[in-house]
Amino acid sequence: MTGSRSKSIVIWAFVVTALLMLSAPTIVVLGASFTAGNIITFPPEGLSLKWYGAIAQASDLRQAFFRSLIVATICTLISIPVGTLAGIALSKYRVRFARTIQIYLLLPFTIPLIGSGIGMMLVFGEMGALGKLWPVGIATCVINLPFMIWAVTASASNLSPDLELAAANCGAPPLQRFLYITLPAVLPGIITGSLLMFILALNEFLVSLLLVDARSVTLPVQIYNSIRSIITPDLAAISVVFIACAGVAIALLDRLVGLDIFLKSK
Amino acid sequence: MGIVSTDLHKAGAIAVSVKDVGMVFGDVHAVRSASFDLPKGKFLTILGPSGSGKTTLLRMIAGFDNPTSGEIFINGQPVSAVPPHRRAIGMVFQKLALFPHMTAAENVAFPLKMRRHDARTIGEKVERYLELVRLGGYGGRRINELSGGQQQRVAIARALVFEPDLLLLDEPLAALDRKLREEMQLEFRRIQKELGVTTINVTHDQREALVVSDEVIVMDGGEIQQKAQPVHTYRSPANAFVANFIGVTNFIDGKVSAISGSTVSVESNGQLLSGVTAADGAPLVPGTACSGAVRAEQIRIASARAGLEGLETIVEGQVADSIFEGERIVYEVTVPVLGGAILRVFNHDPVSHLQFGPGENVRLGWNAKDMHVFKK
Ligand SMILES: Nc1ncnc2c1ncn2[C@@H]1O[C@H](COP(=O)(O)OP(=O)(O)O)[C@@H](O)[C@H]1O
Ligand SMILES: [Mg+2]
């Protein structure tokens, strides 16, 4: 009795500590963004929204933010068809080299981003496309695509092969089977993957840094550039905007498909 | 001209014709040279143990797999080049395979939508078929809001709503509890009679096969063992496998000692059992090693000869065990004159309250012709 009680106290202590450590940076940056002073501090000196006003006025930040949105949109739009088809193919058919492909899906966790970033810099440099936004969109798509495929495969593996046979038996030709049966079944995975891809592309720093020039900086790069000069509370404010974007994505996800897809998927 | 029209007429009477169909997966012969004809409007059950090739055969008829040999004809036309969505076959899957993101009505409407019926026809037909399976008013429910039996009915309605030439049932009742299963068996029978749709049902439940079918095919090891009406299958099994698979059957090993027509004498452990029936098509000559099969319910048990008047074969034995099953008692009786064979006997006489205990000496008797002899 007491044994299980003290055990649960220990577990709770761990959980609370972990939550504190995970949320501390967010709380700090959130607090710092509301400061009335001119330097970034925590706890903030007084409360004001003036730094939010400042970032709304700062055209370079705003433009960088829009560029990041464009990059994230390009990345998501490419990843939806590619990731969906690849995910379905991987889970449905005995694909040749399936093991090799699975290893590729692990690569983003094993190959340093700087490696793939430099590779892509060379490719796009060769094409003379450095400094444009679409290469950044493609690059973020390439490095993050495994997440999309993973999300689609997770929901496609719930799809029983009998369902498509049943649809065929009901008179549905292959395209209709795909549209009416397969696609709706993997839709939660597609939504999850898309939001994930969007957020990852929005936040992507290292690869963007290698592919952009002064005219095409994305928001994370812009923030990085600003940090190197003077650190002002507007950076905290813009970080909060970032966090808000991610929050919106998670709220959307919860509304559309429920968050249990993350909890259940392996 | 005349010949052509009789040919057409003949083709019209047979809904499904399976000719020498085989299916090989790697080195597994899932189905070997299966052949049968199924007349229109009949209810055929394919009965066999798990792994006997029933699903494989059904999937080839539905068009999901093509046979590695032989050909299947539907309404007289060879179908190996016809993809499943053009076959006009309704199927109820073992795991139902209802579309989880659609309501019951949307599931039933799906085949009509794929056939581009107009919205009004679809609405009317969906309602009519939901009524037919007694689910009127449940159309708006999501699949996971329906009970197992109700889901079953949705699957039936979806398979029938487009008036297919043929209905295939792949053990859809296997997962239900016994009471519901027996209810649904009768339901299948009722609907099939009402619509007159040609049906092939697959099961490993012998009772279901006997209760619902016009014809029964017994399969084992990918081969058809027997095709006959249920009563015939039960009373005149074609071989020892069928005799053993359906019903509770006792086998007594021996040797053929004499044959005249379909009547055989069998010698077992020095005992002569005469007047025994040769199973259909069993090639027997004197000296053939054989086994005689007699059903548990065709053996009568009594404490003395008195209870066994008129029975030709009578042996003495000792009760090894008695099992109470409610409406009947099953006795296991050791018979020393048959080499210590243990015979199972049903006693369905709840009126006399007669009961034998283990160790008791009893006599068993049966009609000689109720024993069927198979080649070993
Ligand atoms: N796709 C397949 N690949 C390999 N072997 C298979 C396949 N489908 C069925 N089999 C084999 O064929 C045999 C018959 O299977 P099946 O038709 O499913 O039997 P049943 O439905 O009577 O239980 C089994 O031995 C099974 O293992
Ligand atoms: Mg099966």
Side-chain angles (χ1 to χ4, degrees):
Chain A
M1 197 65 200
T2 44
S4 80
R5 179 114 171 247
S6 58
K7 207 153 104 191
S8 83
I9 290 174
V10 171
I11 289 173
W12 272 106
F14 266 114
V15 170
V16 170
T17 317
L19 282 178
L20 272 178
M21 281 168 66
L22 284 174
S23 55
T26 315
I27 294 169
V28 169
V29 84
L30 194 65
S33 72
F34 290 112
T35 188
N38 288 333
I39 47 167
I40 198 161
T41 52
F42 185 83
E45 300 168 9
L47 279 180
S48 88
L49 286 175
K50 80 174 192 192
W51 293 107
Y52 288 91
I55 59 170
Q57 296 299 317
S59 70
D60 52 345
L61 275 182
R62 211 173 52 233
Q63 278 168 3
F65 182 61
F66 282 129
R67 279 188 218 108
S68 275
L69 285 181
I70 292 171
V71 164
T73 308
I74 294 173
C75 163
T76 311
L77 287 183
I78 299 173
S79 71
I80 288 175
V82 177
T84 303
L85 294 179
I88 291 175
L90 262 183
S91 65
K92 225 175 78 172
Y93 304 105
R94 295 250 160 86
V95 185
R96 288 222 283 165
F97 314 118
R99 268 198 64 76
T100 320
I101 295 172
Q102 271 160 6
I103 290 171
Y104 162 72
L105 292 183
L106 282 173
L107 277 188
F109 307 108
T110 52
I111 286 201
L113 274 183
I114 189 81
S116 24
I118 287 174
M120 266 170 302
M121 190 174 81
L122 293 176
V123 171
F124 289 120
E126 198 67 28
M127 293 165 67
L130 288 183
K132 297 204 171 70
L133 285 180
W134 61 263
V136 188
I138 291 179
T140 49
C141 178
V142 169
I143 57 170
N144 293 323
L145 194 63
F147 290 101
M148 181 78 188
I149 296 178
W150 162 79
V152 173
T153 346
S155 61
S157 54
N158 294 329
L159 177 73
S160 130
D162 273 0
L163 283 185
E164 286 187 36
L165 294 180
N169 185 254
C170 287
L175 181 66
Q176 262 80 343
R177 299 207 278 274
F178 181 76
L179 292 179
Y180 287 107
I181 308 302
T182 315
L183 217 47
V186 298
L187 197 60
I190 299 176
I191 294 174
T192 310
S194 309
L195 288 169
L196 214 53
M197 292 299 283
F198 192 86
I199 291 297
L200 288 172
L202 199 64
N203 294 349
E204 176 51 47
F205 167 67
L206 197 51
V207 170
S208 298
L209 183 66
L210 294 170
L211 296 180
V212 296
D213 63 15
R215 290 160 295 136
S216 63
V217 283
T218 56
L219 191 53
V221 179
Q222 176 71 37
I223 293 174
Y224 170 71
N225 289 341
S226 314
I227 288 173
R228 291 199 301 178
S229 38
I230 22 161
I231 305 180
T232 46
D234 58 346
L235 294 180
I238 198 85
S239 305
V240 171
V241 171
F242 257 132
I243 293 168
C245 285
V248 167
I250 287 173
L252 261 180
L253 194 63
D254 191 32
R255 281 300 287 277
L256 292 174
V257 295
L259 287 174
D260 36 347
I261 187 166
F262 280 109
L263 304 178
K264 268 191 271 172
S265 57
K266 293 161 275 169
Chain B
M1 202 47 200
I3 294 167
V4 171
S5 66
T6 41
D7 267 5
L8 276 179
H9 183 73
K10 253 176 84 182
I14 298 293
V16 184
S17 178
V18 171
K19 287 216 183 350
D20 285 328
V21 164
M23 183 58 147
V24 183
F25 296 110
D27 52 3
V28 179
H29 284 259
V31 174
R32 288 169 202 265
S33 188
S35 297
F36 64 86
D37 288 336
L38 178 61
K40 279 203 167 142
K42 293 286 182 197
F43 195 119
L44 169 75
T45 294
I46 301 176
L47 172 68
S50 145
S52 57
K54 309 180 297 289
T55 298
T56 307
L57 189 53
L58 219 56
R59 285 172 58 96
M60 290 189 284
I61 296 172
F64 303 147
D65 297 316
N66 258 337
T68 42
S69 59
E71 179 62 276
I72 294 168
F73 300 83
I74 294 176
N75 294 328
Q77 300 300 314
V79 291
S80 50
V82 183
H85 60 275
R86 300 233 183 80
R87 286 199 187 186
I89 294 176
M91 178 154 172
V92 180
F93 289 72
Q94 185 155 8
K95 290 180 188 145
L96 300 186
L98 293 169
F99 307 130
H101 55 286
M102 299 183 193
T103 63
E106 283 165 353
N107 265 278
V108 179
F110 189 75
L112 301 173
K113 215 165 116 189
M114 290 301 112
R115 288 174 172 75
R116 300 180 190 287
H117 289 269
D118 62 87
R120 235 190 67 201
T121 320
I122 294 182
E124 283 166 4
K125 281 205 166 177
V126 168
E127 194 159 326
R128 183 140 52 85
Y129 276 84
L130 283 175
E131 294 286 346
L132 177 79
V133 297
R134 303 186 176 164
L135 277 184
Y138 286 84
R141 298 271 188 105
R142 296 203 136 257
I143 295 308
N144 58 13
E145 294 166 354
L146 296 171
S147 73
Q150 290 169 332
Q151 294 184 2
Q152 210 88 40
R153 290 160 192 268
V154 175
I156 300 167
R158 186 181 69 181
L160 288 171
V161 70
F162 59 101
E163 286 154 23
D165 298 337
L166 180 63
L167 175 65
L168 304 178
L169 309 169
D170 187 6
E171 306 204 43
L173 304 182
L176 299 183
D177 59 72
R178 183 166 154 194
K179 219 167 173 112
L180 189 54
R181 188 166 70 230
E182 290 177 1
E183 190 186 310
M184 290 303 295
Q185 287 167 359
L186 297 178
E187 190 79 1
F188 275 139
R189 189 68 188 142
R190 172 183 73 82
I191 292 169
Q192 197 268 340
K193 280 257 150 60
E194 210 166 308
L195 300 178
V197 58
T198 315
T199 302
I200 302 180
N201 174 42
V202 159
T203 186
H204 61 258
D205 176 353
Q206 45 147 320
R207 200 196 102 94
E208 177 180 326
L210 297 177
V211 169
V212 300
S213 331
D214 297 315
E215 296 263 355
V216 177
I217 284 180
V218 181
M219 275 188 88
D220 183 45
E223 276 175 288
I224 293 181
Q225 305 293 322
Q226 184 170 19
K227 174 176 183 282
Q229 293 179 359
V231 176
H232 192 83
T233 312
Y234 191 84
R235 296 216 174 125
S236 312
N239 56 38
F241 174 82
V242 178
N244 191 31
F245 192 69
I246 303 178
V248 176
T249 308
N250 298 293
F251 288 93
I252 297 165
D253 290 343
K255 221 188 278 175
V256 175
S257 62
I259 312 170
S260 91
S262 65
T263 307
V264 188
S265 296
V266 174
E267 193 227 295
S268 172
N269 297 288
Q271 294 287 311
L272 191 68
L273 305 164
S274 47
V276 172
T277 310
D280 297 346
L284 300 172
V285 290
T288 314
C290 67
S291 73
V294 58
R295 300 275 192 208
E297 72 273 20
Q298 289 178 317
I299 303 179
R300 193 174 288 165
I301 183 168
S303 51
R305 271 180 188 275
L308 305 173
E309 294 93 351
L311 298 178
E312 292 126 358
T313 313
I314 292 178
V315 293
E316 287 181 12
Q318 201 174 44
V319 174
D321 201 359
S322 79
I323 300 138
F324 178 67
E325 288 188 352
E327 78 277 19
R328 69 183 184 197
I329 297 171
V330 183
Y331 291 106
E332 293 186 342
V333 180
T334 315
V335 182
V337 291
L338 295 174
I342 292 179
L343 302 188
R344 278 177 295 172
V345 182
F346 293 158
N347 185 355
H348 290 272
D349 188 6
V351 181
S352 70
H353 295 277
L354 180 80
Q355 186 150 3
F356 303 101
E360 229 171 296
N361 288 320
V362 292
R363 282 193 167 78
L364 304 178
W366 62 87
N367 280 318
K369 68 172 170 47
D370 285 341
M371 178 174 275
H372 290 253
V373 173
F374 306 103
K375 196 179 166 203
K376 275 208 92 168

